[in-house]
Amino acid sequence: MIHVGHIKVTCFIITKKRDEMLCRLRKLHHGITCLHSEGGYSEERNYTLMTVTTRYELAAVRQAVTETDPKAFMNVVQSTEILGRFARPKN
């Protein structure tokens, strides 16, 4: 058995459904950065959402993304170090 709760990953999510995606991701208690982006090949306007989560919580992020926008693109990279507040306070 491998404990993965402390392994942090950064998720980059490219979507056209910014508001719906933010609504779903805000329920996961981690900060989200939202950037305006443009497809390098298609030149279409998109939004890039970035959030840091744990490997353990990654399944919930993946589910939120696929249910909200099946056409979204998500890239997950392992984070070796983060600085700052990792989790938002629960309301």
Side-chain angles (χ1 to χ4, degrees):
M1 181 184 273
I2 299 172
H3 177 65
V4 296
H6 296 294
I7 298 173
K8 305 293 188 281
V9 295
T10 301
C11 301
F12 295 94
I13 303 154
I14 300 171
T15 182
K16 293 188 181 304
K17 298 183 177 184
R18 173 189 174 269
D19 294 335
E20 298 95 325
M21 194 69 72
L22 284 171
C23 184
R24 288 289 301 270
L25 294 176
R26 284 181 179 138
K27 296 176 183 176
L28 301 176
H29 306 292
H30 294 293
I32 308 157
T33 299
C34 185
L35 305 164
H36 295 271
S37 57
E38 180 179 297
Y41 181 75
S42 68
E43 298 182 356
E44 292 182 12
R45 292 183 183 183
N46 296 300
Y47 295 96
T48 299
L49 283 62
M50 182 189 80
T51 187
V52 178
T53 189
T54 64
R55 178 75 71 185
Y56 178 75
E57 297 168 309
L58 183 56
V61 174
R62 187 181 297 114
Q63 181 177 1
V65 170
T66 57
E67 288 178 359
T68 304
D69 182 4
K71 293 183 180 181
F73 176 84
M74 184 168 86
N75 182 28
V76 180
V77 295
Q78 188 166 327
S79 301
T80 56
E81 182 177 345
I82 59 171
L83 180 65
R85 193 176 66 198
F86 172 64
R88 292 186 304 118
K90 295 181 182 180
N91 295 336

